[in-house]
Amino acid sequence: ETGVTQTPRHLVMGMTNKKSLKCEQHLGHNAMYWYKQSAKKPLELMFVYSLEERVENNSVPSRFSPECPNSSHLFLHLHTLQPEDSALYLCASSQHGASGGYNEQFFGPGTRLTVL
Amino acid sequence: GQNIDQPTEMTATEGAIVQINCTYQTSGFNGLFWYQQHAGEAPTFLSYNVLDGLEEKGRFSSFLSRSKGYSYLLLKELQMKDSASYLCAVMDSNYQLIWGAGTKLIIKP
């Protein structure tokens, strides 16, 4: 496997279900991101992990719970979601330097989530 | 607030040239990125500008004017495979990317 992979690619769930999205990066990067992409709207940054520590949480509802067990893996645990949470969820990784700097993000193919 | 503006949709003809504009207002600036996203696929990196001027990479070029808060992506010799959304993103003072909503480019034969 190369680059950034995400599973599952498609997920349909009811509002009472609990599911998890998985992301794995094979690039040796030290930062990972979860984004939400809704139609005709900008990418919304949800969470950022740098060196396995959460450094950003953009006021995301608690029904979304991230987990980063190591620098290569990132999970997004979902529970009691709402229909408006239906979207494409993208994972990305980058190399984050001590002084910030140019850190191009590499994206996975995304999970298309539908909440019924 | 932080804001990235780009046209929602553009149409161009195969073989022609198209320019996609992006204007931004952000808290700090640490570079501007352009990404390409085909329908149902991941965004892929196209270019990065941090200094004023034009960066050329094959058929694609990207321009930046920091004083005007303005960038454009120039696509030459358009091919049908260039039909995609083009996303402009600015890295702010916290080194986080602020994204535009994307420009859907439709190429006609």
Side-chain angles (χ1 to χ4, degrees):
Chain A
E1 293 276 16
T2 58
V4 182
T5 58
Q6 290 186 245
T7 55
R9 293 294 308 276
H10 300 272
L11 179 61
V12 179
M13 59 187 289
M15 290 190 285
T16 58
N17 291 159
K18 289 185 180 181
K19 297 286 184 182
S20 295
L21 309 185
K22 179 183 176 182
C23 175
E24 184 173 358
Q25 60 98 358
H26 309 268
L27 301 167
H29 290 160
N30 59 10
M32 296 186 76
Y33 310 77
W34 278 119
Y35 284 95
K36 177 183 179 182
Q37 187 175 36
S38 304
K40 298 185 180 181
K41 293 176 69 175
L43 280 170
E44 298 175 48
L45 179 64
M46 301 175 72
F47 302 104
V48 180
Y49 277 82
S50 180
L51 298 172
E52 300 159 40
E53 296 291 325
R54 189 191 310 181
V55 296
E56 191 77 28
N57 177 348
N58 281 346
S59 303
V60 179
S62 59
R63 57 186 183 270
F64 294 91
S65 175
E67 178 189 0
C68 187
N70 55 61
S71 60
S72 299
H73 293 85
L74 186 65
F75 294 89
L76 187 63
H77 303 299
L78 317 171
H79 64 98
T80 59
L81 294 191
Q82 304 298 311
E84 59 264 29
D85 296 323
S86 298
L88 181 68
Y89 288 84
L90 290 164
C91 173
S93 71
S94 70
Q95 187 62 24
H96 194 251
S99 59
Y102 170 11
N103 57 345
E104 167 198 348
Q105 293 181 15
F106 292 79
F107 286 84
T111 295
R112 174 67 63 186
L113 174 66
T114 302
V115 182
L116 302 176
Chain B
Q2 308 202 92
N3 195 52
I4 309 285
D5 285 316
Q6 51 181 133
T8 304
E9 188 173 295
M10 299 182 70
T11 302
T13 304
E14 190 177 16
I17 299 173
V18 71
Q19 177 174 311
I20 303 174
N21 295 324
C22 171
T23 57
Y24 63 89
Q25 292 177 305
T26 56
S27 55
F29 179 84
N30 281 300
L32 185 144
F33 294 78
W34 284 96
Y35 279 78
Q36 179 190 61
Q37 187 178 23
H38 285 101
E41 298 184 11
T44 55
F45 170 78
L46 286 178
S47 68
Y48 171 75
N49 294 69
V50 68
L51 299 176
D52 290 352
L54 188 68
E55 294 280 343
E56 296 187 77
K57 195 184 289 186
R59 295 189 298 115
F60 293 5
S61 302
S62 56
F63 172 83
L64 175 67
S65 169
R66 288 172 296 170
S67 62
K68 295 181 179 178
Y70 167 71
S71 172
Y72 67 73
L73 181 69
L74 190 72
L75 292 74
K76 302 176 183 176
E77 301 169 17
L78 287 170
Q79 301 175 9
M80 297 303 293
K81 67 179 183 179
D82 297 329
S83 292
S85 288
Y86 291 85
L87 312 179
C88 174
V90 172
M91 185 169 286
D92 68 8
S93 56
N94 294 319
Y95 295 98
Q96 298 302 332
L97 283 178
I98 311 301
W99 294 84
T103 299
K104 183 178 181 181
L105 178 63
I106 299 169
I107 309 296
K108 295 185 174 180

